[in-house]
């Protein structure tokens, strides 16, 4: 079946503009994660959605970052008033169920460049 | 807080060699440990997942081991090929925490 998909694959934006990144998880996967990978750094956890439960936003770096997910479908990550330090690859992953013990499947990522 | 370290940061080997990549983690209370491969400009491809109750997993030429007591995992690649060239990441899922904590990866180059 289809894997996790993300769009756009690349995004170049000017400092101060807002951007929206999209993730389509594997059909039937109830849990969805967003991670960020800055150049030369490991992946950083941003936010976790599980079904209709309140999301875990503990990894979001500032209040300029927000994410939404409706049910068990598409998620969007929004970055307002982008800064150069937001430049990174943003990766989305989904798992069959929540709880941490299941294999995470990753999308190809969105490469964000803030000029 | 879980911390994951991978050594070495980069490794270059001639084709056909067997090799071992190392991963260590600070909190042994993990649900599982996952090894990924990342190719330039691409997302992550899951290679192997070891549950906390397991000691190893095998897939083709890959074998991953887990020693929770020492906080270590290794990824063994047999008979390396140029197509194995990529960055290999290990990630630990902590008990009570559903997020993965990643190491910075080992960049592997297999020379023909």
């Amino acid at each position: 079946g289809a894997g996790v998909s993300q769009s756009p694959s690349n995004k170049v934006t000017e400092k101060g503009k807002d951007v929206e990144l999209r993730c389509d998880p594997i059909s039937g996967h109830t849990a969805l994660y967003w991670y960020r990978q800055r150049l030369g750094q490991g992946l950083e956890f941003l936010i976790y959605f599980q079904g209709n439960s309140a999301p875990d936003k503990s990894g979001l770096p500032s209040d300029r970052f927000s994410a939404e997910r409706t049910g068990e479908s598409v998620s969007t990550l929004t970055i307002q008033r982008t800064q150069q330090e937001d430049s990174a690859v943003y990766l989305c992953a989904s798992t069959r169920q929540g709880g941490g013990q299941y294999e995470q499947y990753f999308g190809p990522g969105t490469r964000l460049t803030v000029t | 807080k879980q911390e994951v370290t991978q050594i070495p940061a980069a490794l270059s080997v001639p084709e056909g060699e067997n090799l071992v990549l190392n991963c260590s983690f600070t909190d042994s209370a993990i649900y599982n440990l996952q090894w990924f491969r990342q190719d330039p400009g691409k997302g992550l491809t899951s290679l192997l997942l070891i549950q906390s109750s397991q000691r190893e997993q095998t897939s083709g030429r890959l074998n991953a081991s887990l020693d929770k007591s020492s906080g270590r995992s290794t990824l063994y690649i047999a008979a390396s090929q140029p197509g194995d060239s990529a960055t290999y990441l290990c990630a630990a899922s902590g008990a009570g925490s559903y997020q993965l904590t990643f190491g910075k990866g080992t960049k592997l180059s297999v020379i023909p």
Side-chain angles (χ1 to χ4, degrees):
Chain A
V4 177
S5 61
Q6 293 185 245
S7 62
S9 55
N10 282 284
K11 177 72 176 178
V12 180
T13 190
E14 292 180 353
K15 177 181 173 181
K17 295 287 180 72
D18 298 350
V19 295
E20 189 173 278
L21 313 179
R22 176 187 169 108
C23 172
D24 280 272
I26 293 173
S27 178
H29 280 196
T30 63
L32 184 148
Y33 307 73
W34 282 98
Y35 293 87
R36 176 173 73 174
Q37 186 177 31
R38 288 189 279 192
L39 189 65
Q41 303 296 313
L43 274 78
E44 306 169 77
F45 166 76
L46 296 177
I47 189 169
Y48 162 75
F49 294 91
Q50 165 55 26
N52 293 315
S53 302
D56 175 359
K57 304 179 182 180
S58 61
L60 295 179
S62 78
D63 59 8
R64 296 186 294 105
F65 287 70
S66 62
E68 294 183 351
R69 186 186 188 199
T70 304
E72 297 179 356
S73 61
V74 170
S75 175
T76 56
L77 176 69
T78 301
I79 308 173
Q80 295 179 311
R81 305 181 303 282
T82 51
Q83 303 295 312
Q84 289 185 330
E85 63 262 28
D86 299 334
S87 296
V89 177
Y90 289 82
L91 291 157
C92 172
S94 69
T95 63
R96 184 161 49 94
Q97 294 182 37
Q101 61 266 60
Y102 297 97
E103 188 170 3
Q104 293 194 18
Y105 296 88
F106 280 77
T110 293
R111 181 176 298 276
L112 175 66
T113 303
V114 182
T115 62
Chain B
K1 178 186 174 183
Q2 181 74 274
E3 293 182 5
V4 177
T5 303
Q6 291 187 249
I7 295 173
L11 180 64
S12 183
V13 300
E15 181 178 2
E17 272 204 5
N18 303 325
L19 60 101
V20 174
L21 307 181
N22 296 293
C23 171
S24 62
F25 47 94
T26 55
D27 186 351
S28 62
I30 60 172
Y31 277 132
N32 60 55
L33 188 133
Q34 216 170 331
W35 282 92
F36 296 89
R37 161 184 182 139
Q38 186 172 33
D39 294 278
K42 303 284 182 64
L44 275 63
T45 301
S46 178
L47 298 173
L48 290 165
L49 179 144
I50 312 175
Q51 300 286 0
S52 62
S53 59
Q54 299 173 321
R55 291 193 63 85
E56 66 177 332
Q57 282 286 337
T58 298
S59 176
R61 294 182 295 107
L62 305 180
N63 176 277
S65 68
L66 175 64
D67 183 343
K68 283 201 320 177
S69 61
S70 66
R72 293 181 182 178
S73 176
T74 61
L75 179 66
Y76 175 83
I77 303 177
S80 58
Q81 303 171 358
D84 295 332
S85 298
T87 296
Y88 290 80
L89 299 168
C90 89
S93 169
S97 172
Y98 24 74
Q99 62 182 267
L100 286 175
T101 301
F102 283 82
K104 292 187 178 181
T106 294
K107 185 175 182 179
L108 174 65
S109 298
V110 181
I111 311 302

